[in-house]
Amino acid sequence: MQTWVAPGRVNIIGEHTDYSDGYVLPIALPLVVRCAAEATSDGFAQVSSRQRPGAPVRAALTELAAQRDRLPDWARYPLGVVAEFVRRGLPIAGVELMLDGAVPIGAGLSSSAALSCSVAIALRDLFAPKLSDRELIDMARAAENDYAGAPTGVLDQSAAILCTAGHALFLDVRRFAGAETGSAYQQIPFDLARFGLELLVIDTGQPHRLVDGGYAERRAQCEAAAAALGVPALRDADPAAVERIGDPVLRRRARHVVGENRRVLAVVEKLRAGADPREIGPLLTATHDSLRDDFEVSTPALDTAVATALAAGAHGARMVGGGFGGSAIALTDRERTATVASSIREAFARNGFEEPRTFVVVPSAGAHRID
């Protein structure tokens, strides 16, 4: 068997903008999902996972779509990717997949996209080497949307496939949906070590699930807000017009997306110009405030992590991912990182929250084969 890996991601800024044709700026994490894969000729797809003890899950290629609802939830992600390859008529005669994941599940770090993309890149190399990155991303996203029931945009899969070490990925989602992918994304240098900085991830231990209703509800509300404004997507909305939306909930949702797109562009401009990344800290914190107040996807644990990080000296902090649990990030001076992490653990203990997991991350490589 050969082995491929795909990383989790953390979004520096640009939360809940991808499904409104907006802008995002993720980095790939050093934490990956490993997929060992081997082509077979028996007409079946078989998948096992080190994190899911028990017998492998096995299904006929011709029956993957029909068997979806009878499969374990976790197996729908990898087998959904296989099903998407089959649906598109790509030449798969059979495949065996063995998975091992180091991306925390439910932490808002895109463990599901890492899983799906590790399988997708393995299948491409084994069966369809001429597929473009753009096609691969679309297939992984379709598998998550249609087979696993997770209504994601393309942020997570794009980060898993396209990110490069030492850089953040600036992705214009609308342009990426078109034909010219080369002009739709750019690699933005993100060298925190050069400035004596670190990016601390705080996993609150409160898992979120994109297949639950909150994420899909927010997406539907954004679409309704765009319709109320008469624009194709909230990317096109004028801030002044947003404030005239009659429904207060839709107004808040639109205000977040419009403001978040502007914050992404401001961060990219600063990083492109070689500014000290400390300058982006207030924009990260502003994103958290918007996600908490206008988008209403934060939690008491996430708010505590952010407030404590800032009080302990972080230059900026915010929740990341879809929300309703998961993780936060804090931009810290290297010599302050341990103090910030310790302060958060103490605050969680005082508030009766589960002890958080904290770790430093650096911009890492996207999906690739390792042997």
Side-chain angles (χ1 to χ4, degrees), residues 50-123:
R50 189 171 181 180
Q51 284 68 49
R52 306 287 181 172
V57 178
R58 183 174 168 85
L61 296 177
T62 56
E63 298 178 6
L64 281 171
Q67 292 189 15
R68 172 193 176 279
D69 293 337
R70 296 194 291 272
L71 296 172
D73 287 351
W74 71 268
R76 294 178 186 177
Y77 290 89
L79 292 181
V81 177
V82 179
E84 189 63 17
F85 270 70
V86 172
R87 187 185 72 80
R88 298 187 184 212
L90 296 169
I92 298 180
V95 68
E96 181 179 352
L97 306 168
M98 298 178 63
L99 304 170
D100 187 7
V103 185
I105 297 172
L109 304 176
S110 296
S111 60
S112 60
L115 189 162
S116 298
C117 289
S118 70
V119 174
I121 195 168
L123 295 182

Side-chain angles (χ1 to χ4, degrees), residues 5 23 110 117 159 203 210 230 262 265 269 282 289 303 318 357:
V5 297
Y23 307 103
S110 296
C117 289
D203 177 1
L210 293 186
R262 291 188 166 199
L265 295 176
E269 182 179 359
D289 294 344
D303 293 341
R318 72 175 193 87
R357 178 188 178 196

Side-chain angles (χ1 to χ4, degrees), residues 288-300:
H288 182 79
D289 294 344
S290 181
L291 289 166
R292 181 193 62 213
D293 300 334
D294 283 336
F295 224 65
E296 299 178 283
V297 293
S298 191
T299 66

